[in-house]
Amino acid sequence: MIGSTISHYKILEKLGEGGMGIVYKAEDTKLHRLVALKFLPRHLTADKEAMGRFEREAQSASALQHDNICTIHEIDQTDDGQMYICMDFYSGETLKK
């Protein structure tokens, strides 16, 4: 996925992955800023329940505004149906570290 363009986001590098998503650092080519794109794993794109949880995650996070919570910019799908959430990108160490 690195080097590809999804909508107007150019994927730069993989940041990490977990059970509900794979996160990439990307450049928003329209607004010239860095963002994070979280993709629902491909094997879950046929799972309506997983897709619903992913969408509710985006809706819940977008309803919150706080300095310690990242801003959700959009939720969308690729041409082949893979859902993703676009959110603020923060540089530095992961919470795990």
Side-chain angles (χ1 to χ4, degrees), residues 14-85:
K14 183 177 177 180
L15 298 174
E17 70 181 279
M20 278 299 289
I22 304 164
V23 181
Y24 293 91
K25 178 180 175 181
E27 177 190 359
D28 179 333
T29 59
K30 287 185 177 180
L31 298 176
H32 306 289
R33 63 179 174 180
L34 295 176
V35 296
L37 297 181
K38 180 178 181 178
F39 287 85
L40 183 68
R42 287 196 186 276
H43 70 276
L44 294 177
T45 57
D47 182 337
K48 297 294 182 195
E49 187 176 315
M51 290 177 71
R53 282 194 312 267
F54 195 75
E55 189 169 353
R56 285 190 301 279
E57 174 188 337
Q59 290 168 343
S60 296
S62 72
L64 303 172
Q65 286 206 304
H66 189 277
D67 290 341
N68 295 332
I69 300 172
C70 74
T71 300
I72 303 296
H73 299 293
E74 73 171 322
I75 185 168
D76 205 349
Q77 289 186 359
T78 62
D79 291 338
D80 64 353
Q82 189 174 14
M83 293 182 74
Y84 66 90
I85 299 170

Side-chain angles (χ1 to χ4, degrees), residues 2-17:
I2 296 170
S4 63
T5 300
I6 307 295
S7 181
H8 57 280
Y9 304 108
K10 182 175 181 183
I11 308 294
L12 303 175
E13 67 182 273
K14 183 177 177 180
L15 298 174
E17 70 181 279

